[in-house]
């Protein structure tokens, strides 16, 4: 983005701050639904800073500006913020101040000790924590009822009005009435009479509906208010066809306009209501006059355990995705060094091959295709300015996925395009070892993902290597590619692992300016055994795609790891080969041939 444009926007913002007697404004990466990925209407942080990553918080004062993001985006943020006022703040790195610490220091000598944040796109928990901490750090107060973007963002995109469609019961696997019954049972255990559902993927899952309001996410903008004997969907009626309207009515779901949610909360008739302070925005929270139960929403935990139809859909989607991936890898193998290929052109080729598959509905996220040093940028996305030509040497990291109507995919492969350095082969092998160790782990039912994380990292740690992103995240069923509540990561996440959950396995290493390696499969949690010590679980890989054997240093692999890799490759070949041509099968047989 043009740096002059960013300077102009900051100048406009500061005029509004002076008019409102505010000394700073905070721009989170969020919307009224606490979404990870937001519709364009709510991309205020991107608009004011020029940083396009999916995670970050921008802060602008009357004299300075800073942006906080995590390790996935350090390199990208440095490039996109260069030439602007924004100072990059690297989260979780030693010496990086917190947002509250930085604001307190910046406002130490100003007379107006009030800052702003839009309460309609900031969760209750975040606003309350902000208020408490900045008050302690110099008596700073927080205003939440002002959105300067309404005045200065002249060409702001409208809230999406795309149509909603029904997810067939043969793919959803459970009727809406049954899901609502289970949600209400969970609410009773939390001593709540009802709840406000704000997370868009939770609403889509509950109602067996899908949309296209958010890029790469089959969700729609709405709220869902659940009471003991009434359910209301707050949505713009232009999005709802007569068929969907009749369907909702048959499931006992009423409708009201999206903007009527404030009145709906005021009219709520039960004794109490569950509002998840980490999801519900501060502005809506302030409208509730009933007793509030501040608890975690029960829906993510219910949604995370896939039913039989959903798992059948996952397997079908993985099969078709695997077919497309094999076609792509064969094409890449045959064309590298013989014609001009770039990061963008290989991404487009992979997308076109997926689009040929039945039930394809789009990408599950923008493809990451990073060649050599670009592979070290964890969430790199090639642009015409950064796009580079691939050579018949070095490593290409491709992290990609698709939305099929019966499942969501997410797979990473790091591919040797030709000769490699010894360092590249060594790092690749260490990452592969970590991937295989986690994929073949056995663990007790109810273990936290944090308790499993070290298994994938132990070999890297021994070599003095590490990665700062999570090792695994849940995956939705034709929903968000990032799904909770369970995660596998170093930071403490108490959510328990149970049979029927899907989760990724994606350790990596990123050496800035040199190369990056990541290997990722989606795993299904299944039962391993039951003993006098309880139920034990294991992982089953759902992803069907060869792992490049070329970079592997065999002497670093244990016999058990070699056998695991051979068994996985045999499964890939046996499953995919009936659906491929003779020529494709010859390539796949070589790619999956076992090590002796």
């Amino acid at each position: 983005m043009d740096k002059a444009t960013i300077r102009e926007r900051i100048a406009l913002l500061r005029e509004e701050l002076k008019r409102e007697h505010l000394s700073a404004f905070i721009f989170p990466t969020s919307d009224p639904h606490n979404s990870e990925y937001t519709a364009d209407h709510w991309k205020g942080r991107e608009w004011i800073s020029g940083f396009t990553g999916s995670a970050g918080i921008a802060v602008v004062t009357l004299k300075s500006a800073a942006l906080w993001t995590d390790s996935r985006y350090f390199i990208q943020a440095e490039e996109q913020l260069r030439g602007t006022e924004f100072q990059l703040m690297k989260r979780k790195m030693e010496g990086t101040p917190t947002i509250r610490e930085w604001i307190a220091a910046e406002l130490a000598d100003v007379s107006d000790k009030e800052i702003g944040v839009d309460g309609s796109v900031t969760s209750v928990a975040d606003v309350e924590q902000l208020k408490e901490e900045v008050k302690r750090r110099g008596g700073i107060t927080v205003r939440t009822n002002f959105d300067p973007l309404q005045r200065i963002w002249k060409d702001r995109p409208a809230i999406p009005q795309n149509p909603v469609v029904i997810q067939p019961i043969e793919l959803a696997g459970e009727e809406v009435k049954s899901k609502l019954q289970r949600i209400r049972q969970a609410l009773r255990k939390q001593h709540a009479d009802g709840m406000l559902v704000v997370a868009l993927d939770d609403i889509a899952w509950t109602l067996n509906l899908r949309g296209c309001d958010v890029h790469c996410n089959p969700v729609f903008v709405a709220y869902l208010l659940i009471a003991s004997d009434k359910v209301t969907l707050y949505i713009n009626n232009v999005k709802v066809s007569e068929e969907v309207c009749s369907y909702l009515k048959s499931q006992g779901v009423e409708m009201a306009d999206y903007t009527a949610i404030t009145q709906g909360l005021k009219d709520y008739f039960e004794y109490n209501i569950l509002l998840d302070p980490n999801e519900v925005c501060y502005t809506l929270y302030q409208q509730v006059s009933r007793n509030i139960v501040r608890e975690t929403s029960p829906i993510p935990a219910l949604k995370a355990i896939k039913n039989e139809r959903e798992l059948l859909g996952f397997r079908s989607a993985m099969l078709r995705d695997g077919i497309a991936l094999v076609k792509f890898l064969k094409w890449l193998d045959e064309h590298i060094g013989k014609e001009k290929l770039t990061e963008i052109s290989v991404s487009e080729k992979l997308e076109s091959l997926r689009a040929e598959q039945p039930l394809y509905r789009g990408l599950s996220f923008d493809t990451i295709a990073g060649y050599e040093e670009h592979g070290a940028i964890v969430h790199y996305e090639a642009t015409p300015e950064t796009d580079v030509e691939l050579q018949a040497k070095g490593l290409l990291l491709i992290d990609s996925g698709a939305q099929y109507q019966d499942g969501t995919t997410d797979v990473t492969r790091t591919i040797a395009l030709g000769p490699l350095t010894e360092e590249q082969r060594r790092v690749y092998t260490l990452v592969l070892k970590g991937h295989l160790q986690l994929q073949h782990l056995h663990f007790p039912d109810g273990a936290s993902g944090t308790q499993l994380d070290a298994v994938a990292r132990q070999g890297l740690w021994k070599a003095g290597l590490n990665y700062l992103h999570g090792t695994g995240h849940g995956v939705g069923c034709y929903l968000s590619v990032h799904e909770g509540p369970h995660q596998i990561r170093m930071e403490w996440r108490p959510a328990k692992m149970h049979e029927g959950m899907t989760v990724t396995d994606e350790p990596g290493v990123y050496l800035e300016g040199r190369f990056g390696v990541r290997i990722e499969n989606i795993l299904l949690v299944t039962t391993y055994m039951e003993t006098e010590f309880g139920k034990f679980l294991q992982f089953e890989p759902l992803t069907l795609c060869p792992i490049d054997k070329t970079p592997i240093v065999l002497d670093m692999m244990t016999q058990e790891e070699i056998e695991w890799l051979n068994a996985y490759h045999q499964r890939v070949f046996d499953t995919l080969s009936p659906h491929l041509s003779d020529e494709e099968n010859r390539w796949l047989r070589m790619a999956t041939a076992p090590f002796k």
Side-chain angles (χ1 to χ4, degrees):
M1 184 178 294
D2 181 22
K3 308 307 179 184
T5 301
I6 299 301
R7 288 193 292 272
E8 291 169 4
R9 292 172 180 177
I10 292 174
L12 289 172
L13 171 64
R14 285 177 174 151
E15 289 301 314
E16 293 299 327
L17 295 184
K18 292 174 184 176
R19 191 174 290 115
E20 298 293 330
H21 302 286
L22 295 173
S23 292
F25 204 87
I26 300 173
F27 297 89
T29 304
S30 189
D31 61 9
H33 307 275
N34 199 39
S35 304
E36 178 183 11
Y37 301 102
T38 63
D40 291 344
H41 176 81
W42 287 292
K43 291 185 177 179
R45 185 227 64 210
E46 179 178 327
W47 185 85
I48 196 68
S49 69
F51 171 61
T52 61
S54 67
I57 298 177
V59 184
V60 179
T61 73
L62 295 177
K63 61 180 181 179
S64 55
L67 183 136
W68 283 255
T69 191
D70 60 48
S71 63
R72 296 172 297 168
Y73 296 108
F74 287 168
I75 300 174
Q76 176 183 337
E78 283 179 352
E79 293 178 353
Q80 293 183 330
L81 298 179
R82 190 176 294 120
T84 74
E85 284 189 52
F86 281 96
Q87 178 184 356
L88 174 60
M89 299 292 185
K90 298 180 178 181
R91 276 182 166 170
K92 300 180 183 177
M93 300 299 288
E94 186 175 351
T96 299
T98 66
I99 293 173
R100 288 85 176 175
E101 290 170 343
W102 185 82
I103 288 175
E106 292 294 307
L107 271 58
D109 300 324
V110 303
S111 56
D112 288 326
K113 295 286 188 178
E114 187 169 38
I115 64 175
V117 63
D118 183 1
S120 72
V121 297
T122 311
S123 72
V124 175
D126 285 344
V127 170
E128 290 177 343
Q129 183 181 20
L130 175 66
K131 284 186 171 184
E132 180 182 348
E133 292 193 11
V134 296
K135 183 179 180 180
R136 289 203 315 263
R137 296 180 184 277
I140 300 170
T141 58
V142 180
R143 180 178 170 185
T144 61
N145 64 349
F146 173 58
D147 176 12
L149 296 176
Q150 290 183 346
R151 298 180 184 174
I152 63 177
W153 192 354
K154 300 301 183 182
D155 57 348
R156 186 174 189 174
I159 296 175
Q161 308 297 347
N162 301 309
V164 173
V165 297
I166 300 169
Q167 178 75 337
I169 188 62
E170 57 266 24
L171 298 179
E174 184 181 8
E175 294 281 1
V176 173
K177 290 180 180 179
S178 173
K179 291 181 178 180
L180 289 171
Q181 182 181 16
R182 291 202 291 138
I183 292 169
R184 286 178 172 129
Q185 288 172 349
L187 289 173
R188 283 196 290 271
K189 292 180 181 179
Q190 295 172 292
H191 307 289
D193 298 323
M195 70 173 294
L196 174 64
V197 188
V198 300
L200 302 184
D201 60 332
D202 287 355
I203 297 171
W205 175 84
T206 301
L207 299 180
N208 291 341
L209 296 175
R210 298 295 188 269
C212 56
D213 283 351
V214 181
H215 179 56
C216 294
N217 290 261
V219 297
F220 52 93
V221 174
Y223 295 101
L224 188 66
L225 187 56
I226 301 175
S228 59
D229 61 353
K230 182 180 179 180
V231 181
T232 306
L233 176 66
Y234 291 85
I235 186 171
N236 190 314
N237 60 12
V238 303
K239 302 163 68 71
V240 184
S241 66
E242 290 185 10
E243 179 190 12
V244 174
C245 187
S246 298
Y247 161 78
L248 289 171
K249 189 174 181 179
S250 72
Q251 299 298 317
V253 179
E254 300 178 6
M255 285 199 309
D257 189 75
Y258 178 70
T259 59
I261 183 59
T262 300
Q263 190 60 46
L265 288 171
K266 291 178 179 178
D267 295 340
Y268 177 79
F269 56 89
E270 303 277 14
Y271 173 72
N272 64 27
I273 183 171
L274 184 147
L275 299 179
D276 187 333
N278 291 306
E279 290 191 355
V280 177
C281 72
Y282 188 78
T283 299
L284 286 182
Y285 187 89
Q286 295 294 100
Q287 305 302 315
V288 178
S289 58
R290 298 290 179 176
N291 294 312
I292 295 175
V293 178
R294 291 172 61 109
E295 291 287 348
T296 300
S297 167
I299 297 178
L302 298 174
K303 180 170 89 273
I305 298 177
K306 309 301 187 282
N307 61 50
E308 290 184 8
R309 289 299 182 103
E310 288 175 320
L311 291 178
L312 181 63
F314 255 111
R315 295 184 191 281
S316 297
M318 295 293 175
L319 172 64
R320 295 192 301 279
D321 208 53
I323 293 169
L325 287 163
V326 167
K327 290 176 181 289
F328 168 75
L329 292 172
K330 175 179 178 293
W331 171 85
L332 180 63
D333 189 29
E334 294 172 346
H335 288 78
I336 188 67
K338 298 176 182 177
E339 62 181 78
K340 182 177 180 179
L341 303 178
T342 71
E343 294 167 328
I344 289 179
S345 70
V346 296
S347 299
E348 292 173 342
K349 178 65 175 181
L350 178 53
E351 183 178 356
S352 71
L353 290 169
R354 280 188 163 118
E356 295 174 358
Q357 298 300 315
L359 301 184
Y360 175 80
R361 298 293 181 266
L363 298 178
S364 56
F365 56 96
D366 290 319
T367 299
I368 299 165
Y371 177 59
E372 289 289 71
E373 63 268 22
H374 285 168
I377 305 174
V378 181
H379 273 203
Y380 171 76
E381 184 183 344
T383 67
E385 294 74 30
T386 66
D387 189 26
V388 296
E389 184 175 353
L390 309 184
Q391 306 295 323
K393 62 179 181 178
L395 293 173
L396 172 66
L397 187 156
I398 298 187
D399 187 349
S400 65
Q403 295 286 6
Y404 301 95
Q405 195 174 357
D406 52 357
T408 301
T409 69
D410 182 1
V411 54
T412 307
R413 291 294 183 263
T414 304
I415 305 157
L417 299 183
L420 303 177
T421 66
E422 288 303 310
E423 180 184 43
Q424 287 175 320
R425 298 181 67 225
R426 174 174 168 271
V427 169
Y428 182 95
T429 307
L430 287 170
V431 171
L432 175 60
K433 286 167 68 71
H435 172 88
L436 292 172
Q437 287 292 336
L438 178 59
Q439 185 167 284
H440 290 84
L441 182 66
H442 301 103
F443 53 97
D445 181 34
S448 162
T450 305
Q451 295 168 314
L452 313 183
D453 181 80
V455 173
R457 298 179 189 262
Q458 58 181 337
L460 296 172
W461 287 346
K462 189 174 182 180
L465 300 169
N466 198 14
Y467 53 97
L468 299 181
H469 61 73
T471 302
H473 57 81
V475 181
C477 187
Y478 186 38
L479 278 173
S480 300
V481 73
H482 292 162
E483 183 177 273
H486 58 295
Q487 297 181 49
I488 301 175
R489 61 187 312 119
M490 286 199 302
E491 299 85 0
W492 173 240
R493 293 293 187 273
K496 299 177 180 179
M497 304 289 289
H498 295 299
E499 182 178 10
M501 288 180 165
T502 51
V503 66
T504 62
D505 171 9
E506 49 180 312
V509 169
Y510 313 94
L511 301 175
E512 185 174 351
R514 286 135 76 189
F515 65 92
V517 175
R518 184 163 66 252
I519 300 171
E520 174 188 20
N521 281 348
I522 293 178
L523 311 178
L524 171 65
V525 182
T526 65
T527 295
Y528 172 55
M529 67 165 66
E530 292 196 38
T531 73
E532 60 187 299
F533 294 97
K535 185 177 182 180
F536 287 80
L537 305 174
Q538 62 185 354
F539 291 123
E540 173 195 344
L542 294 177
T543 302
L544 298 167
C545 179
I547 294 171
D548 194 353
K549 298 179 298 177
T550 309
I552 298 173
V553 181
L554 270 181
D555 290 345
M556 294 173 59
M557 301 278 284
T558 67
Q559 183 61 34
E560 185 177 43
E561 290 166 346
I562 292 172
E563 291 172 358
W564 286 345
L565 183 60
N566 287 344
Y568 174 71
H569 275 155
Q570 188 63 53
R571 179 178 182 177
V572 170
F573 181 82
D574 290 345
T575 307
L576 296 181
S577 59
H579 307 277
L580 299 170
S581 69
D582 291 344
E583 188 178 342
E584 290 161 349
N585 265 320
R586 281 193 291 273
W587 182 91
L588 182 60
R589 187 175 293 280
M590 291 181 61
T592 58
F595 287 115
K596 302 298 184 185

